[in-house]
Amino acid sequence: MIQLTATPVSALVDEPVHIQATGLTPFQMVSFQASLEDESGNMFYSQAHYRANEFGEVDLKHASSLGGDYMGVHPMGLFWSLKPEKLLTRLLKKDVMNKPFQVQLKLYDLELIVNNKAASAPKASLTLERWYVAPGVTRIQVREGRLRGALFLPPGEGRFPGVIDLFGGLGGLLEFRASLLASRGFASLALAYFNYEDLPAKPEVTDLEYFEEAANFLLRHPKVFGPGVGVVSVCQGVQIGLSMAVNLKQVTATVLINGTNFPFGIPQVYRGKIYQPFPYSAQLISTSALGLLELYRIYETTEVGASQYLFPVEEAQGHFLFIVGEGDKIINSKAHAEQAIGQLRRHGKNNWTLLSYPGAGHLIEPPYSPLCCASMTRDLKLHWGGEVIPHAAAQEHAWKEIQRFLRKHLIPDMTSPL
């Protein structure tokens, strides 16, 4: 009897799953297919083809995919190789508390797959649950003063290291990373800063005092360790995270994922200081062979006069973790990180770590998330970049390093990384 098993059937999205098929004929060719429907009804699919061993078994932990959406030994390949049926669609979890993503796994005879469509019923199937929040994590809607966001607290009495989670140009409130961080033991504040509830849709300036209020709010919570908080930021959020590290003594550990070392778009203001945005060169916008916009060349930070726009990172008292995808087509994040590190070095600072991933794109997300190499954002077809397999490896490695870095610098008296 053919059986398809997966262990565990229900797990957090950053946890691996052990998938096996048994009861096949020796050396039988089969196709594994995965599908997922997001909260908007968009479908995502992946498939990989395998040959059973002499015992009629396929164990994805050891077996090599011979074709499909990836090749080689990749136990979680069916998850990170999921592709949208509708092009330019990004997989984003919105309701993290109440419903998991459900992944349908099906096993077919390879000979019955024609044009990626199954010609008959699957030999076996099952449904997996992929959660963004662990049991016992609580979510508290934040509307304190002008602060808007969601605070996620791990189960237990605490206290816990506190982290502010910042996303980029999408605006609104994205909670999936903060809920996962809380599932891993961090008190995590998913912080909105534009285009959410009564926050301005298109702010004219970035007021850093808003983010200072967020840091103080987190530190006042009885379940949060002091004396400092961490920041995890990506894309447009990086310019805010970096400025927080420079200006706010409360920020002692800052994760910067694919961003700039200067403000862009609009000015930043903080207690009388004004950081003007770096002027961009519109003539350096490029278009890929598929008509996707690439923006990574538009900031020429080596030109004469560019230094006046750069954040004085040497003034930061905390520690930095720079994470860059070398295949980023939106921001030249490696160059910007290396420039910031150069400033730190010239001032005798060694409070930084750089993780640079060849083949990884802009949207480095939690492990096993599908690569989104392009999507429609604000009516623009943006090329985020990245290659499927190296991007997946980068996400898995970076997630562990982010947690290790935050624990090392936020938990009192912690002398070595976990």
Side-chain angles (χ1 to χ4, degrees), residues 317-330:
Q317 299 303 306
H319 291 78
F320 296 111
L321 175 60
F322 295 93
I323 296 175
V324 302
E326 295 182 17
D328 191 341
K329 297 297 183 182
I330 291 297

Side-chain angles (χ1 to χ4, degrees), residues 1-7 17-33 48-67 70 72-75 78 105-110:
M1 178 181 175
I2 296 174
Q3 285 191 311
L4 178 62
T5 60
T7 308
V17 177
H18 185 196
I19 299 170
Q20 293 177 284
T22 57
L24 303 167
T25 59
F27 309 112
Q28 182 178 347
M29 299 294 296
V30 292
S31 181
F32 289 79
Q33 295 195 352
H49 312 314
Y50 290 86
R51 178 186 287 111
N53 64 16
E54 65 270 30
F55 306 109
E57 300 170 347
V58 179
D59 184 340
L60 267 59
K61 190 179 286 187
H62 307 293
S64 179
S65 171
L66 305 175
Y70 60 90
V73 180
H74 297 290
L78 288 167
L105 280 184
K106 297 179 180 180
L107 181 69
Y108 293 93
D109 279 328
L110 183 57

Side-chain angles (χ1 to χ4, degrees), residues 212-269:
E212 185 174 38
E213 291 168 20
N216 291 333
F217 165 81
L218 203 51
L219 286 169
R220 282 197 305 270
H221 198 283
K223 288 193 173 184
V224 174
F225 278 126
V229 299
V231 175
V232 177
S233 56
V234 65
C235 188
Q236 185 174 319
V238 166
Q239 60 171 313
I240 297 170
L242 200 55
S243 188
M244 291 172 73
V246 168
N247 288 285
L248 308 181
K249 66 180 184 303
Q250 301 95 318
V251 176
T252 54
T254 310
V255 179
L256 307 155
I257 307 170
N258 285 331
T260 64
N261 56 329
F262 49 82
F264 63 87
I266 58 176
Q268 284 191 17
V269 297

Side-chain angles (χ1 to χ4, degrees), residues 258 324-328 357-362 364 371 384-387 390-391 394:
N258 285 331
V324 302
E326 295 182 17
D328 191 341
Y357 297 105
H362 184 71
I364 295 177
L371 165 66
W384 304 108
E387 303 165 30
H391 189 89

Side-chain angles (χ1 to χ4, degrees), residues 339-403:
Q339 191 172 37
I341 289 168
Q343 278 178 257
L344 292 168
R345 279 178 166 154
R346 286 193 297 275
H347 288 83
K349 296 270 193 166
N350 62 355
N351 57 339
W352 55 270
T353 300
L354 171 65
L355 300 177
S356 187
Y357 297 105
H362 184 71
L363 297 175
I364 295 177
E365 301 195 318
Y368 319 125
S369 301
L371 165 66
C372 178
C373 64
S375 69
M376 185 73 75
T377 304
R378 295 183 182 177
D379 298 323
L380 299 175
K381 297 177 181 179
L382 296 180
H383 186 193
W384 304 108
E387 303 165 30
V388 176
I389 292 177
H391 189 89
Q395 290 186 150
E396 190 171 353
H397 183 264
W399 186 241
K400 295 174 184 175
E401 293 303 311
I402 288 170
Q403 294 176 68

